[in-house]
Amino acid sequence: MSSNNVASFNEARRVAIFGGTHGNEMSGVTLVNLWMMNSREEIQRKGVETQPFITNPKAVEKCSRYVDTDLNRAFTTENLSAPNGKDLPYEVQRAQEINRLFGPKGSSEAYDVIFDLHNTTSNMGCTLILESSKDHFNLQMMNYIKKAIAPDSCPVLLNEDPGLKYATARSVAKHSVGLEVGPQPQGVLRSNIFEAMRIILKHALDFIELFNEGVEFPPCTVDVFKVSERMDYPRDANGNIIAMVHPNLQDCDWEPLTPGDPMFQTFDGKTIPYEGAGAVYPTFINEAAYYEKQQAFVTTRRETLAANAIRKV
Amino acid sequence: MSQEWVLTPIIYVLGVGLYPPITYVLGEWVLIPITYVLGVGPDPIIYVLGEWVLIPITYVLGVGPDPTTYVLGVGPDPYHLCPRRVGPDPITYVLGVGPDPISYVLGVGPDPISYVLGVGLDPISYVLGVGPDPIIYVLGEWVLIPITYVLGVGPDPIIYVLGEWVLIPITYVLGVGPDPTTYVLGVGPDPYHLCPRRARQQRPTMERERVYLPALSRVAVCGGTHGNELSGVHVVRERLKEKQQRVDDDEEEDEDVVSVSNILTNPRAVQQCRRYTETDLNRCFTRATLSSAVSDRTPYEIARSQELNILLGPKGSPQAVDLVCDLHNTTANMGVCVIAYSDTDWICLHIFKYLQHHMSDVPVRYIHFDLPCREAYSLDSLGKHGFALEIGPQPHGVVRSNVYTYMKTGVELMLDWVRLFNSGTVFAGGLVEVYTMVSAIDYPRERQTHNIMAAIHPELQDQDFCLLRPNDPLFETFSGATLRYQGPEPLYAFFINECAYYEKGIALSLARRRSVEVPPVQMKSGLEHPGDPGTSEEEEEED
């Protein structure tokens, strides 16, 4: 598909913005509702059909993460091909519906780009999440957004390892981009977090518009944090957590964690240090929704990815 | 008001308040009536009272209508007085002293006076010396003083009316002249440390008679009333584990002094990590709900509230536990709060005073929900005494180690106090600041969908216990417009953006702040089964 090292892609004409994939992550719910009621001009771009969409309306209604099962883990091949039935968990039915509307996943009819809006209780700032290191279109978009918001930063998290990645709602599109903005408690709407997410999306849509107009983006590199390992809380024999994220680690997303640094603090005050092989960059530190997924934080390693020049076909 | 004049060498003069600005000339002697004082810092300050005067100042002094009662600040830095020029905005207050504590030496008139004034982020004891009798003010005590001027510090100056009395805790004090109680100086990061003004005919007596109260032999520490408020859940679990460990190690439990129960009140909600399963447990403790008929269709939390009433109550009876401490978290930036229905329950107020004294690295405040006993709806109303310990900010479903530690420490301090009380310790009285809840404001909502149309304004977010004045920003709509507070009176905002209150129609709550005089207390020996808590005959009524 590339000649002279320029990767060509079709115009990204169909773009979706998902909110409420987790019903209590309020920035996305609020933005998508806003764009569905009015203010559609904010997300209009020439040559782009932008569709805002609430993916999990029942969870939004209840202001809970999910009703039966996590929608953002439900887009497995097994679920998407399961025979349609009313006794399927609500989110599996929703996944099938979303796959019909915005996919089918892996086909040429799938939407070009899906942005999935999320919040986290972790101090991650505006994080962009990629599921592939080889999607040059996405990499160029990341580069564009980072330059547009400088000197502010937006870390890019790469979750590519098949053992660590999960079947997200956005994965039905050809190019999937996750936006994870925090810290914000579940069920709460913070004005600064809401505005930050809005600005990132604005730049992302500007990039798509420029690309569709025929702009060629020269080769670039993108610094990313690649997910390496999931760290659970220390637990007792009954599975109850026996320690909390240490005060020195709390809120220190994206800062290096070196072997020997404090990692957890037990409920009776003892420190448990990090004992990995080398320095890592932790993130998703103390995310509320991950207690049940056995995850206190994830470790990442820094990588620099090279993106080819891109231009539309 | 008659004016006396004094001849003094002037280095600088600052005019603030109702009286006309003062003219002075650097290095010359001038006769000036002085009616106010100013705050000074390392940065030059502009004062205007009618006209602009530009002067660099390093310290300030307070003066009242009696001009022989002020001290001029003289420092290591000579000042240059600029010619006055008229500016656009008259200023009626004076400013800020910087973050570094500054020593002032003041001398006035025939009797040079030394003052040590600490100003800055750390409350400091001040020594005031005036005339022949130096006066020492101890940090934390309250002083009633007539206001002769007001000093504004920080971004929002406060204007006080001359002549009214104000009761203030001393964190900074400046006294000048033969009568040191003639002014108040506010300096530091919290300029709103003054209580609402009220007129007084005379100075109240600060000595109160000791109140004797029965021992608190049974205390309940409760967590998980809301299943996703995790600090309390883990504090209770850890305490149960420690208790079990002591049993396993064959250690003695000192139940002689106090018997403590540690209870997870809503185990089903804790297990699901949700606030509640069917209805909010912490609204189920009204007499009506506690006595309602129970069937197998009764919501879980209502059945549970009745079980807890048997365990810890019955509410209002002599068999009820002496003290209930219910542990809660909030997403609002409230620090540590003791929340109670009464502002005359001396047990709760003394516990609060004790916590505030011993927890110096976090703000500790007392919130009073002014509801009569018969309307009290929360778990803490089961005990003869009760309060909620509310600590934030913490997202629901998350345990933050610092918040957990504050909560564990708070519970331990409370129990220390109870043990000391039960052993006969006399706890000194004093003045405490109490925030009494007045009202709440909901988010602006869409008429049809009832969805919220604005978020807490970024200038108000996280500013719990700031003073919200009429016209201050309150919300920011999604299209960027600012909606302002329209109430008639300035009030203190709290529970700003608490997640669980969206469904209850509360964006923030509002309170008035006042001081309450807490009498000294001591356990009444021989009275283990009390009558009414906190209203023994020995109590004096406040004027």
Side-chain angles (χ1 to χ4, degrees):
Chain A
M1 202 58 107
S2 64
S3 57
N4 299 333
N5 283 334
V6 177
S8 302
F9 295 90
N10 290 326
E11 270 182 38
R13 211 168 273 138
R14 290 151 83 227
V15 172
I17 303 177
F18 285 175
T21 298
H22 295 134
N24 54 10
E25 293 177 13
M26 304 299 289
S27 305
V29 171
T30 307
L31 279 171
V32 166
N33 276 334
L34 191 70
W35 291 325
M36 285 176 59
M37 303 293 171
N38 44 36
S39 316
R40 198 59 90 101
E41 326 79 61
E42 192 180 335
I43 51 171
Q44 296 311 23
R45 295 293 188 278
K46 205 168 57 152
V48 185
E49 181 199 306
T50 317
Q51 179 64 50
F53 187 75
I54 295 284
T55 44
N56 196 340
K58 261 198 201 166
V60 169
E61 171 71 38
K62 285 179 66 179
C63 196
S64 68
R65 183 177 174 85
Y66 55 81
V67 173
D68 293 329
T69 183
D70 193 334
L71 180 62
N72 215 28
R73 305 287 184 277
F75 286 75
T76 59
T77 319
E78 191 192 330
N79 279 347
L80 294 179
S81 57
N84 203 325
K86 285 289 181 285
D87 51 347
L88 284 177
Y90 171 73
E91 277 84 6
V92 175
Q93 292 180 41
R94 272 313 278 172
Q96 293 186 348
E97 178 66 13
I98 290 165
N99 194 37
R100 263 192 293 278
L101 291 168
F102 298 97
K105 180 166 168 175
S107 76
S108 55
E109 290 91 60
Y111 261 58
D112 297 294
V113 186
I114 295 180
F115 296 102
D116 195 12
L117 307 182
H118 287 268
N119 290 119
T120 173
T121 57
S122 306
N123 187 25
M124 288 168 72
C126 290
T127 295
L128 294 158
I129 308 184
L130 295 181
E131 294 178 14
S132 160
S133 58
K134 299 184 179 44
D135 183 337
H136 297 274
F137 177 86
N138 268 359
L139 287 172
Q140 287 280 0
M141 185 195 294
M142 300 297 105
N143 183 55
Y144 179 87
I145 294 172
K146 275 169 171 275
K147 289 203 156 53
I149 67 166
D152 290 340
S153 65
C154 57
V156 176
L157 181 67
L158 172 66
N159 194 2
E160 181 173 52
D161 185 328
L164 294 167
K165 73 190 291 186
Y166 36 85
T168 59
R170 57 188 180 265
S171 65
V172 310
K174 296 184 181 117
H175 306 284
S176 69
V177 179
L179 251 83
E180 186 84 54
V181 185
Q184 181 172 271
Q186 295 169 346
V188 163
L189 182 69
R190 287 179 68 100
S191 175
N192 59 330
I193 298 289
F194 171 86
E195 289 300 327
M197 189 180 268
R198 207 173 187 172
I199 289 171
I200 299 278
L201 261 171
K202 168 197 146 24
H203 292 305
L205 291 171
D206 288 346
F207 167 82
I208 293 175
E209 184 177 44
L210 287 168
F211 176 80
N212 288 354
E213 281 173 0
V215 170
E216 178 173 316
F217 292 86
C220 68
T221 58
V222 181
D223 289 332
V224 304
F225 291 91
K226 184 170 174 178
V227 175
S228 172
E229 196 185 350
R230 285 198 193 131
M231 303 290 287
D232 190 11
Y233 292 95
R235 292 173 190 268
D236 64 15
N238 297 325
N240 294 322
I241 71 173
I242 56 172
M244 321 167 271
V245 171
H246 193 277
N248 287 18
L249 179 58
Q250 178 69 54
D251 300 334
C252 293
D253 298 68
W254 310 119
E255 290 173 38
L257 181 68
T258 326
D261 285 348
M263 183 172 60
F264 295 113
Q265 184 178 75
T266 63
F267 291 120
D268 55 357
K270 295 197 235 341
T271 297
I272 300 175
Y274 173 62
E275 271 160 4
V280 289
Y281 294 83
T283 192
F284 273 122
I285 299 174
N286 210 352
E287 159 55 47
Y290 291 172
Y291 281 50
E292 71 173 16
K293 297 197 200 304
Q294 278 94 47
Q295 189 175 304
F297 61 96
V298 295
T299 62
T300 69
R301 289 179 200 282
R302 296 182 79 150
E303 264 188 41
T304 302
L305 300 180
N308 289 354
I310 64 166
R311 127 181 108 223
K312 76 168 179 179
V313 163
Chain B
M1 215 174 294
S2 70
Q3 285 186 340
E4 290 178 66
W5 293 79
V6 69
L7 200 63
T8 76
I10 300 185
I11 310 295
Y12 57 82
V13 172
L14 196 51
V16 181
L18 296 181
Y19 295 87
I22 297 162
T23 307
Y24 54 92
V25 177
L26 183 64
E28 290 186 357
W29 290 82
V30 78
L31 280 172
I32 51 173
I34 301 200
T35 53
Y36 45 70
V37 170
L38 299 182
V40 184
D43 300 318
I45 297 151
I46 299 175
Y47 305 88
V48 169
L49 182 68
E51 289 182 85
W52 288 84
V53 165
L54 188 66
I55 42 179
I57 300 179
T58 55
Y59 49 106
V60 169
L61 292 186
V63 181
D66 178 357
T68 61
T69 58
Y70 64 89
V71 175
L72 289 182
V74 182
D77 301 317
Y79 299 112
H80 302 287
L81 230 53
C82 303
R84 280 180 291 139
R85 55 179 187 236
V86 179
D89 299 317
I91 296 177
T92 51
Y93 60 88
V94 175
L95 64 116
V97 182
D100 301 317
I102 301 167
S103 295
Y104 295 78
V105 176
L106 302 170
V108 180
D111 295 316
I113 300 164
S114 295
Y115 298 85
V116 174
L117 180 65
V119 179
L121 295 177
D122 300 318
I124 298 170
S125 295
Y126 294 77
V127 175
L128 299 173
V130 180
D133 295 317
I135 296 161
I136 298 177
Y137 287 73
V138 174
L139 182 68
E141 287 186 354
W142 290 77
V143 150
L144 194 65
I145 50 179
I147 298 175
T148 50
Y149 57 83
V150 172
L151 189 61
V153 180
D156 295 316
I158 300 165
I159 299 178
Y160 295 77
V161 173
L162 295 177
E164 286 185 61
W165 291 81
V166 148
L167 205 57
I168 54 162
I170 301 176
T171 50
Y172 39 81
V173 172
L174 188 59
V176 182
D179 181 1
T181 62
T182 56
Y183 55 86
V184 175
L185 178 64
V187 183
D190 180 9
Y192 310 124
H193 220 57
L194 286 157
C195 303
R197 289 177 271 135
R198 55 182 178 210
R200 287 243 175 190
Q201 271 72 51
Q202 64 197 31
R203 294 173 80 162
T205 53
M206 300 306 281
E207 282 303 303
R208 296 228 6 186
E209 277 188 39
R210 193 179 296 178
V211 171
Y212 294 91
L213 295 167
L216 303 170
S217 23
R218 293 160 63 221
V219 176
V221 174
C222 300
T225 299
H226 295 134
N228 55 6
E229 294 177 15
L230 294 192
S231 295
V233 170
H234 288 291
V235 165
V236 166
R237 280 197 178 140
E238 184 62 19
R239 290 182 54 80
L240 287 168
K241 209 170 94 170
E242 285 167 1
K243 200 164 187 174
Q244 185 60 47
Q245 194 63 48
R246 287 197 292 274
V247 167
D248 292 346
D249 292 349
D250 246 340
E251 274 176 40
E252 269 190 32
E253 199 67 49
D254 70 8
E255 300 260 312
D256 290 349
V257 186
V258 62
S259 141
V260 184
S261 310
N262 301 289
I263 304 168
L264 279 180
T265 50
N266 195 341
R268 218 181 260 188
V270 169
Q271 204 267 324
Q272 295 179 29
C273 198
R274 297 167 57 183
R275 181 176 175 86
Y276 56 82
T277 63
E278 292 174 84
T279 187
D280 192 335
L281 177 62
N282 214 26
R283 302 290 182 275
C284 290
F285 293 90
T286 59
R287 290 187 194 278
T289 309
L290 290 175
S291 53
S292 63
V294 168
S295 73
D296 53 2
R297 276 172 310 162
T298 302
Y300 169 74
E301 278 86 6
I302 293 183
R304 188 69 187 134
S305 70
Q306 297 191 359
E307 272 174 34
L308 288 162
N309 191 36
I310 294 170
L311 187 62
L312 302 176
K315 175 166 164 168
S317 78
Q319 290 81 42
V321 296
D322 297 296
L323 178 65
V324 172
C325 171
D326 192 20
L327 306 178
H328 286 269
N329 289 119
T330 173
T331 56
N333 186 25
M334 286 168 63
V336 174
C337 290
V338 170
I339 307 184
Y341 289 107
S342 170
D343 58 355
T344 53
D345 183 332
W346 310 130
I347 298 289
C348 290
L349 285 160
H350 267 280
I351 289 173
F352 160 69
K353 213 166 159 284
Y354 190 79
L355 253 60
Q356 197 181 47
H357 183 74
H358 286 94
M359 294 180 79
S360 52
D361 59 343
V362 63
V364 181
R365 296 180 180 94
Y366 192 94
I367 300 178
H368 167 222
F369 273 43
D370 196 3
L371 282 180
C373 282
R374 65 182 175 278
E375 288 175 34
Y377 50 73
S378 55
L379 174 72
D380 50 287
S381 67
L382 288 183
K384 299 194 181 83
H385 305 273
F387 64 90
L389 190 62
E390 181 91 50
I391 309 188
Q394 182 176 272
H396 298 313
V398 160
V399 61
R400 287 182 68 98
S401 44
N402 60 333
V403 173
Y404 167 86
T405 302
Y406 290 141
M407 200 172 260
K408 189 155 196 281
T409 303
V411 168
E412 283 158 9
L413 287 169
M414 169 197 62
L415 293 171
D416 285 348
W417 187 90
V418 170
R419 288 189 186 98
L420 287 166
F421 176 75
N422 289 352
S423 309
T425 307
V426 179
F427 289 93
L431 281 165
V432 299
E433 257 175 11
V434 163
Y435 291 85
T436 298
M437 153 106 174
V438 165
S439 60
I441 301 182
D442 191 8
Y443 291 96
R445 291 176 186 270
E446 308 254 346
R447 205 159 298 160
Q448 283 131 342
T449 59
H450 208 59
N451 287 336
I452 70 176
M453 328 183 328
I456 294 282
H457 196 277
E459 283 174 33
L460 182 59
Q461 178 69 55
D462 300 333
Q463 301 304 311
D464 295 72
F465 300 103
C466 73
L467 185 64
L468 189 67
R469 293 197 171 85
N471 223 41
D472 279 350
L474 199 53
F475 299 111
E476 189 173 77
T477 67
F478 304 137
S479 49
T482 296
L483 302 176
R484 295 176 182 276
Y485 171 56
Q486 301 299 327
E489 89 179 272
L491 291 169
Y492 292 88
F494 67 104
F495 273 129
I496 299 174
N497 209 352
E498 159 53 49
C499 166
Y501 289 174
Y502 282 49
E503 71 172 15
K504 298 194 199 304
I506 297 173
L508 65 149
S509 299
L510 294 167
R512 283 192 194 104
R513 189 175 73 180
R514 50 186 256 275
S515 1
V516 169
E517 213 192 311
V518 178
V521 295
Q522 188 180 22
M523 181 196 76
K524 190 166 193 171
S525 47
L527 233 194
E528 257 73 38
H529 296 289
D532 288 320
T535 54
S536 65
E537 294 93 306
E538 287 106 332
E539 194 185 305
E540 269 181 23
E541 280 302 306
E542 251 194 76
D543 301 328

